[in-house]
Amino acid sequence: QVHLVESGGGLVQAGGSLRLSCAASERAFSSYAMGWFRQAPGKEREFVASISWSGDVIYYGASVKGRFTASRDSAKNTVYLQMNSLKPEDTAVYYCVGDTSPTSIDASSAYWGQGTQVTVSS
């Protein structure tokens, strides 16, 4: 069983920054794509970012592009999401996901973390 543990969420004022971390229990995850989704109350789940096993292929959702940066440290089996210029509409539970594919995320079959709350006040 693979476990993904997110950390780094919290309360921040609009315009501020947070960095989320996601530690994976399986060493094999250093070879797999990882990413982030988020879900706000009453809204559908939204793709935030994905990063390939090598870190060379990174995709972002349109609403976060230019403000968020995904990265990974395969030696530590950890993926990060640096969130800058945060807006109230970024408020959501952020989930880390991992996929056995090396380059892309299939949310329906990926492993999911428990989520971490990010709240941005205006």
Side-chain angles (χ1 to χ4, degrees):
Q1 184 69 26
V2 175
H3 294 285
L4 303 175
V5 180
E6 302 98 333
S7 61
L11 174 64
V12 65
Q13 288 189 334
S17 298
L18 282 175
R19 189 177 81 155
L20 304 183
S21 299
C22 172
S25 64
E26 280 284 329
R27 187 70 179 93
F29 262 72
S30 63
S31 302
Y32 299 148
M34 296 185 71
W36 298 89
F37 283 77
R38 68 185 183 185
Q39 188 162 23
K43 294 188 178 181
E44 293 187 354
R45 185 174 60 196
E46 179 184 12
F47 169 76
V48 175
S50 67
I51 182 167
S52 64
W53 73 274
S54 63
D56 292 342
V57 181
I58 304 176
Y59 297 108
Y60 296 100
S63 62
V64 307
K65 197 169 186 179
R67 299 186 297 122
F68 290 10
T69 302
S71 62
R72 68 188 297 161
D73 184 338
S74 292
K76 296 182 178 179
N77 246 17
T78 300
V79 64
Y80 304 98
L81 185 68
Q82 178 67 42
M83 305 185 295
N84 298 329
S85 302
L86 283 162
K87 305 174 182 180
E89 51 264 44
D90 293 318
T91 296
V93 177
Y94 284 70
Y95 297 92
C96 175
V97 297
D99 200 303
T100 55
S101 166
T103 58
S104 61
I105 299 288
D106 181 345
S108 65
S109 60
Y111 296 100
W112 288 74
Q114 82 288 353
T116 185
Q117 177 70 46
V118 171
T119 302
V120 184
S121 63
S122 57

